[in-house]
Amino acid sequence: MAKVRLADDEPRIVPWLGHQTVQPDEVVTIPDDWFESFVCQDIWQAVESPKPKAAPKQRAAKEGD
């Protein structure tokens, strides 16, 4: 999960958060997949970026492959 802060001087109703009203300077937790959609807007500031995804584990090659 990532965290963003509302950097606006007025409360906002945020449909992506179930129409939650977010107050100025309030920090909200959002799914990592939504992070770029929020911070590309001037009214949102990153507080905690998404954690890097772990690389998929590679299977050991079988003999003869």
Side-chain angles (χ1 to χ4, degrees):
M1 300 295 273
K3 293 184 181 181
V4 293
R5 181 179 78 82
L6 179 60
D8 198 14
D9 54 355
E10 294 183 17
R12 296 284 177 147
I13 296 172
V14 184
W16 281 22
L17 299 176
H19 297 287
Q20 173 184 342
T21 299
V22 179
Q23 300 298 322
D25 293 322
E26 183 177 353
V27 174
V28 293
T29 302
I30 57 171
D32 291 347
D33 294 344
W34 296 1
F35 183 75
E36 291 300 326
S37 298
F38 274 77
V39 297
C40 72
Q41 302 172 57
D42 293 339
I43 64 169
W44 296 102
Q45 293 179 339
V47 172
E48 187 176 304
S49 299
K51 307 257 186 295
K53 293 183 180 181
K57 294 181 181 178
Q58 294 183 351
R59 297 185 322 174
K62 292 184 204 173
E63 192 173 317
D65 281 351

